Amino acid sequence: MSIGDNIKLRRIKKGIKQQDLAELAGITASLLSQIERGKKPLTPQTGCAIAQALRCSVYDLIKVECRIELVEANE
């Protein structure tokens, strides 16, 4: 899951419209939309503002689950 997906999912789970989250975070709805779609990177300052508006940590927004499979060398 990408950073944009994490933000969008948290926003939807809280029942917050994109425009409302943007206002709470002090950014434009256009920028938030671009971040959610992965078109613009999340800057540290914007990440902090969005996290505060969503009442979560920045880590919650940027964490990406990663699965690593270990394969035996003999296979």
Side-chain angles (χ1 to χ4, degrees), residues 11-71:
R11 176 177 61 77
I12 291 170
K13 281 184 175 180
K14 290 186 178 276
I16 302 172
K17 294 179 183 177
Q18 203 172 52
Q19 178 67 40
D20 295 335
L21 178 57
E23 287 178 18
L24 288 169
I27 60 174
T28 65
S30 175
L31 176 58
L32 179 57
S33 174
Q34 291 175 29
I35 291 169
E36 286 186 350
R37 291 181 290 126
K39 303 294 181 185
K40 289 270 186 173
L42 183 67
T43 65
Q45 182 178 2
T46 302
C48 288
I50 292 172
Q52 185 175 15
L54 288 172
R55 298 182 188 267
C56 66
S57 71
V58 174
Y59 175 75
D60 290 330
L61 301 181
I62 63 171
K63 69 180 174 185
V64 178
E65 291 184 27
C66 179
R67 290 186 172 174
I68 300 172
E69 286 188 35
L70 297 176
V71 180

